[in-house]
Structure formats: structure tokens, C-alpha cells
């Protein structure tokens, strides 16, 4: 499978863990890192390996992948990925735990795009979603010809826009939404308490993806360690992957 990660300088610790987990779940992966040219990773922090393709990008990200120009830029990056295989977009602060639901969506139900449901009706979470080459081309065509109705404030997040594009293009027959009520498929970590993380680590073994980037909840780690928010997120990612071994992560 192909994986697209849109990263920036402070992602380096999260990115290391995210890439390692993708390799564990999918040994045949190709991982495309689309770095923010305005705040890129340092050379030493770019993951190494034949399965890594690195590229600096300069499209407008509006701080955190927001707005229509950002979506155009992201889709254009995905369009440039060689081959005809689908593309899985995953955040650097997320852990892919299983490909089962993604494969079912793409190859059994033959959906053209899909993701895990967010709070908004038919809008999937940007943490992890998947798109076919047909969707990428069709969506870019719509955006270039400006057929797609858009808001003018350019503040909406990319995951909402991409999911609404899929619904606009194909309706429910072509676009897939996997609901995750009760933490069945996707869990978001909203704690840095070691006891709670230990319990969540057990749950994580049975879900499709884990989002550890709930940065508002990591202030205690930041205050205690003097690290950045993204480093704190990475520490939580480590503890989810290595329950009972919190000292194994070094900031």
C-alpha cells in the first residue's frame, strides 16, 4: 500500500513511531513524506529506508491542513505518487494498528474513498482515510473547474472537505464511512495518566488506528519534562506501543 503523511518540523518524534508502526502492519509499504517547506524536518530527522520517499511542499496549509487550497495541494501530492494502488493518508501522530477494515472497504466493498466517521454526519476523521486514484483525479477535476460548492472563509479542515467531495462525486454507493462508536475501530487518546494509558494500550491491539495527537491533554507532560507538545504526543504513542515500558522513550 501507499501511505501519505503530511508532516512538519515538530513531528519528528511522532513520525519515527508512526512510520515504524506502518512498517510493522504492512511490510510492503511505500511511505511518502510531504514535508512543510516553510517548517521542514531537519535532515537527520527524516526517516531512512528504501520505503521512504521524501518531498518538500509549498502549498498553503493554513496552519494545520485547512482550506480548499490545502486540499488541492494534498490531492496533487497524492496524484504524483507512482502506480495505481490506493493511497492511505495518515497523520504523523497516529498509529495504524490494522489494515483489515481498509482492505475490506477498498477491495471487498470496492469503495472509491473511505474513512472512519467523525462527529459531523458523513465526514471522516483526518487521522486516517483512504482514496483511490479515480477519486484523486475526479476530486482535482472538480476543484479545478470549481463545480464543488465551497465556503469562502477557508477555515474548514481537509478531512471534512475530502469526505464531502467523495459524497458529492459518488454518493453513499461509492464512498465508505466506518463508524467507530465505542472505540471499535479508532480511538483518540485524551489522557497522559499512566494507568489509563495502560488500559488504552490493551484496547489499541484490537482497533484499526490510534490517534495520539490530542495535544490539549498533554500539558502535564510538557510541564514536567520541558518538552514540546509534539514530543509529549510521541511519548504517549510510545506508551501505547510499549505498555509497561515508559522509560524506553527518550525525549
Amino acid at each position: 500500500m501507499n501511505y501519505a503523511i503530511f508532516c512538519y518540523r515538530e513531528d519528528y518524534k511522532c513520525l519515527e513511531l508512526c512510520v515504524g508502526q506502518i512498517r510493522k502492519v504492512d511490510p510492503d509499504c511505500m511511505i511518502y513524506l510531504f514535508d512543510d517547506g516553510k517548517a521542514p524536518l531537519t535532515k537527520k530527522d527524516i526517516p531512512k529506508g528504501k520505503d521512504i520517499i521524501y518531498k518538500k511542499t509549498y502549498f498553503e496549509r493554513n496552519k494545520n491542513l485547512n482550506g480548499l487550497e490545502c486540499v488541492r495541494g494534498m490531492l496533487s501530492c497524492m496524484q504524483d505518487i507512482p502506480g495505481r494502488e490506493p493511497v492511505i493518508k495518515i497523520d504523523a501522530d497516529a498509529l495504524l494498528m490494522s489494515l483489515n477494515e481498509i482492505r475490506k472497504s477498498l477491495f471487498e466493498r470496492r469503495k472509491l474513498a473511505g474513512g472512519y466517521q467523525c462527529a459531523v454526519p458523513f465526514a471522516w476523521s483526518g487521522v486516517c482515510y483512504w482514496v483511490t486514484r479515480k477519486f484523486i483525479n475526479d476530486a482535482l477535476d472538480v476543484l479545478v473547474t470549481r463545480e464543488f460548492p465551497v465556503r469562502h472563509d477557508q477555515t474548514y479542515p481537509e478531512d471534512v472537505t475530502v469526505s464531502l467531495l467523495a459524497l458529492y462525486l459518488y454518493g453513499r454507493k461509492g464512498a465508505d464511512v466506518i463508524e467507530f462508536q465505542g472505540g471499535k475501530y479508532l480511538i483518540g487518546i485524551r489522557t497522559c495518566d499512566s494507568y489509563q494509558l495502560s488500559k488504552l494500550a490493551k484496547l489499541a491491539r484490537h482497533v484499526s488506528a490510534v490517534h495520539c495527537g490530542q495535544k490539549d491533554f498533554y500539558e502535564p507532560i510538557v510541564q514536567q519534562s520541558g518538552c514540546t507538545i509534539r514530543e509529549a504526543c510521541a511519548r504517549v504513542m510510545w506508551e501505547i506501543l510499549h505498555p509497561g515500558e515508559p522509560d524506553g522513550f527518550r525525549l
Side-chain angles (χ1 to χ4, degrees):
M1 288 279 217
N2 296 305
Y3 298 84
I5 303 176
F6 295 87
C7 52
Y8 74 114
R9 181 176 300 143
E10 292 186 14
D11 277 333
Y12 70 104
K13 285 289 187 183
C14 295
L15 185 62
E16 176 185 344
L17 295 166
C18 175
V19 166
Q21 183 62 16
I22 291 172
R23 287 169 169 161
K24 183 177 179 180
V25 171
D26 185 0
D28 298 321
C29 62
M30 287 299 298
I31 301 170
Y32 294 81
L33 304 179
F34 297 107
D35 203 2
D36 186 348
K38 296 178 181 178
L41 297 163
T42 62
K43 187 174 181 179
K44 67 180 179 63
D45 290 327
I46 300 171
K48 305 295 190 294
K50 293 181 180 179
D51 56 356
I52 298 290
I53 306 297
Y54 174 83
K55 180 181 179 181
K56 281 185 186 178
T57 65
Y58 295 91
F59 62 84
E60 181 55 62
R61 299 194 180 203
N62 285 306
K63 296 183 179 179
N64 187 30
L65 301 180
N66 296 309
L68 201 60
E69 290 305 319
C70 176
V71 172
R72 286 194 186 102
M74 293 175 68
L75 290 172
S76 295
C77 288
M78 294 184 198
Q79 189 180 48
D80 289 341
I81 293 175
R84 301 178 65 181
E85 288 292 310
V87 178
I88 299 171
K89 182 265 182 180
I90 186 167
D91 284 352
D93 56 12
L95 299 169
L96 182 66
M97 307 304 291
S98 171
L99 275 175
N100 291 343
E101 294 304 318
I102 296 174
R103 286 185 172 132
K104 287 178 184 177
S105 175
L106 288 167
F107 304 122
E108 292 184 20
R109 294 191 291 275
R110 297 190 176 277
K111 300 295 185 176
L112 294 165
Y116 301 106
Q117 187 178 21
C118 200
V120 181
F122 204 93
W124 51 62
S125 169
V127 172
C128 180
Y129 59 81
W130 46 96
V131 292
T132 59
R133 300 311 176 99
K134 177 173 173 53
F135 168 79
I136 294 169
N137 293 331
D138 290 349
L140 278 171
D141 183 61
V142 166
L143 293 178
V144 169
T145 58
R146 299 185 180 275
E147 295 174 4
F148 183 61
V150 299
R151 283 164 42 183
H152 296 292
D153 57 12
Q154 292 287 296
T155 59
Y156 43 83
E158 49 88 19
D159 49 353
V160 173
T161 304
V162 172
S163 54
L164 291 179
L165 272 166
L167 185 63
Y168 175 80
L169 285 165
Y170 314 120
R172 290 303 300 264
K173 290 184 178 180
D176 211 2
V177 167
I178 299 174
E179 298 182 1
F180 60 87
Q181 285 91 341
K184 188 174 181 181
Y185 298 114
L186 173 69
I187 58 174
I189 307 300
R190 295 174 176 268
T191 179
C192 55
D193 177 81
S194 58
Y195 174 73
Q196 293 295 332
L197 285 175
S198 178
K199 292 171 63 176
L200 287 167
K202 294 179 181 178
L203 176 62
R205 299 173 194 164
H206 307 287
V207 301
S208 298
V210 179
H211 183 212
C212 296
Q214 305 288 345
K215 62 182 182 180
D216 294 342
F217 297 88
Y218 298 151
E219 195 60 35
I221 294 181
V222 173
Q223 292 177 350
Q224 292 169 15
S225 305
C227 63
T228 67
I229 286 287
R230 301 299 282 173
E231 288 171 333
C233 290
R235 170 171 286 184
V236 171
M237 291 171 72
W238 171 272
E239 294 190 14
I240 291 297
L241 291 173
H242 305 86
E245 303 176 36
D247 293 336
F249 183 78
R250 292 288 183 266
L251 292 175

